[in-house]
Amino acid sequence: MNASLAPYPMVLTVNTVEDWARRYVESQDLAHKLDPGGPPREWAEQPEVLRLTGPGRPAELDVQARSQRSLRPSQLLDPRRRAQLIHTFLHHELQAAELMCWALLAFPETDRSFRRGLLGICLDEIRHMQMYRAYLIERGFEYGSFPVRDWFWERTSTCANALEFVSLMGMGLEGGNLDHAARYGKAFATAGDEEAAELQRVVASEEIPHVRFATKWFREWSGGLDFDRWADSLVGPLTPALFRGRELDLASRREAGFTDEFLARLAESR
Ligand SMILES: [Fe+2]
Ligand SMILES: [Fe+2]
């Protein structure tokens, strides 16, 4: 690519995984966000700590500072509202993909196997974006048809270390999503949208290993899966109750590595 035409002013050449990750976060090109191509095989020999402060946002996306009210399941009888919800999920996937790259760059002191895991999850999230986008396109919508909010970024990019990152992103946001996906999957099915219901089932099953990745590293770094230690590792004003559905999807959560003791504490957190 001619450097003068490159839409990525910060990284002009991509030789390493770290370059690829940085370009992905900083890109303002929607096509690149949806399909950045495969990462290089090479990793930087001596990567430095790089804490990116925010993502590049394509002009097509209407990023708002405040979120709209979340949709009630009864509203999902309206196909436009279903598309809007899938659009919200798509934007969650983008933020997750970007934040995996963010962590890979912010915590170069971690094991390579941890950072390799982040990269693999990032690629899963990009695939999930593509699945959600295909649903939207089939129904006459596009990525950008509805406003979005960068809530995951606002919180996650304040994590000081990798333990805080897996606590918030993997065990918190992705863990909570196991509950939400089960609920929304049922709501889509009730609304007669079997395709959206199936999308939720597929994505939810593929999110279980992401959460398991987080619980595995949390144990490794903190010596166990202690609920209070997890609660203490959540940044800012965030509390455990934010990261659960009304009902816990116990089967998925157990498969993701949570213990019954941990889940009992989570279930009673308000
Ligand atoms: Fe995902
Ligand atoms: Fe995920």
Side-chain angles (χ1 to χ4, degrees), residues 93 96 100 121 124-125 128 169 174 177 206-207 210-211:
E93 300 286 353
M100 298 301 159
I121 293 173
D124 281 351
E125 312 299 18
H128 294 165
M169 187 72 212
E174 292 180 296
N177 202 44
E206 294 188 358
E207 289 295 332
H210 298 181
V211 184

